Amino acid sequence: MEYDENGVSIVPSEFKKEIFEEARKDFRYEEYVRGCLNCGVCTGGCPPHRFFDFSPRIVLQNMKSKDPELIWTMMDEYIWACFQCFTCAMICPFLNSPGGIIAVLREIAVRRGFESAKKVLKPYSRVLLKLTAYGNQLSPDMIQPDFFPDWGPHIGYASTDLAVKRKAIPMPTLQVTNLAWDVAPETMKELYDIFDEAGVFKIIESVDPSLYEIIQDIVDDVRSS
Ligand code: SF4
Ligand code: SF4
């Protein structure tokens, strides 16, 4: 997002209204944003609230205000603090779903290629590639200490001699390390059609054009096979 020398957002107010309207027109809006008591029960049960300056009560109050300026303040880092655990939806006495409306706002950020969405999705580019191009989510060769430092001290051991360990697994696993399972080309072609129809490729293009190019090369190869 762009800011002036005083750190104030210089995004035109018309654009902020457009974003609010896009959220309001979402088919889930009425279900997720109802009346709000401002009781804070949702915030009391919200895990990230303990660690960040983040509150589902504020999310609901901002949405209820219908003020595009207030809603815009959440479109940068704020919406990405949510864990999507939906505790808030389970405990809200008004049956609101702050986590649900956050998902709607996130989808807008991704569709429109906002910088915050690009930053958050960057670490998932390998997963997106495997999933959309090969129908796999995680393959053995992706388990590397640099990629998953939070998996603890034994991740280094897990990533060595992968080919040997893979062959030692008694179940049929293709015995390769770059795929977890085999997906037939015909199935992949159907998946590509679904991704096309659902706008998945367009979204990837808006958040990561280089990744999109790589995926499209693979898709073209499989489609022409
Ligand atoms: S969203 Fe629900 S739980 Fe949260 S403040 Fe409003 S009424 Fe209370
Ligand atoms: S879904 Fe998000 S806002 Fe709701 S409780 Fe979980 S982390 Fe908090």
Side-chain angles (χ1 to χ4, degrees):
M1 289 181 200
E2 294 176 50
Y3 300 91
D4 67 13
E5 66 278 8
N6 298 315
V8 177
S9 167
I10 55 173
V11 175
S13 54
E14 281 309 313
F15 185 70
K16 295 173 190 169
K17 278 186 202 156
E18 198 178 307
I19 296 300
F20 170 56
E21 285 304 318
E22 195 169 328
R24 203 175 57 83
K25 284 182 187 149
D26 189 280
F27 70 97
R28 295 159 291 184
Y29 187 90
E30 298 295 330
E31 184 189 338
Y32 292 164
V33 181
R34 303 171 187 232
C36 179
L37 289 167
N38 210 5
C39 63
V41 167
C42 53
T43 298
C46 173
H49 174 66
R50 294 191 218 160
F51 306 103
F52 310 113
D53 180 16
F54 170 79
S55 160
R57 179 187 65 80
I58 298 288
V59 173
L60 232 291
Q61 286 289 311
N62 285 349
M63 297 312 294
K64 289 296 294 174
S65 77
K66 297 188 168 60
D67 180 347
E69 295 291 333
L70 272 181
I71 292 157
W72 181 254
T73 61
M74 305 190 292
M75 294 303 292
D76 199 355
E77 291 188 349
Y78 205 81
I79 50 172
W80 302 103
C82 169
F83 291 179
Q84 293 285 280
C85 66
F86 293 99
T87 304
C88 52
M90 285 192 288
I91 58 179
C92 170
F94 251 92
L95 306 178
N96 292 306
S97 179
I101 198 64
I102 287 169
V104 171
L105 296 176
R106 284 179 174 186
E107 286 169 22
I108 294 172
V110 171
R111 270 200 304 274
R112 290 178 174 261
F114 286 178
E115 283 306 314
S116 65
K118 289 182 184 172
K119 201 168 137 194
V120 166
L121 290 175
K122 195 71 191 163
Y124 297 99
S125 54
R126 285 184 304 274
V127 175
L128 280 172
L129 172 67
K130 290 277 176 186
L131 187 64
T132 52
Y134 302 111
N136 279 231
Q137 188 184 10
L138 194 66
S139 58
D141 63 358
M142 289 164 73
I143 302 170
Q144 299 291 333
D146 291 349
F147 301 163
F148 299 100
D150 53 335
W151 280 20
H154 302 300
I155 181 73
Y157 168 75
S159 62
T160 56
D161 299 325
L162 275 178
V164 175
K165 288 174 184 155
R166 191 82 166 137
K167 282 179 183 158
I169 297 174
M171 300 171 279
T173 60
L174 295 179
Q175 301 199 336
V176 295
T177 58
N178 64 335
L179 288 174
W181 52 74
D182 196 17
V183 181
E186 289 314 310
T187 306
M188 279 319 303
K189 286 175 195 173
E190 283 180 34
L191 270 176
Y192 297 155
D193 289 344
I194 293 168
F195 292 150
D196 263 335
E197 284 287 316
V200 172
F201 290 137
K202 271 195 189 323
I203 288 171
I204 293 174
E205 187 179 16
S206 69
V207 292
D208 193 338
S210 327
L211 176 66
Y212 171 78
E213 293 291 328
I214 296 168
I215 291 171
Q216 279 309 302
D217 283 347
I218 299 165
V219 169
D220 290 345
D221 280 352
V222 175
R223 274 183 165 153
S224 60
S225 65

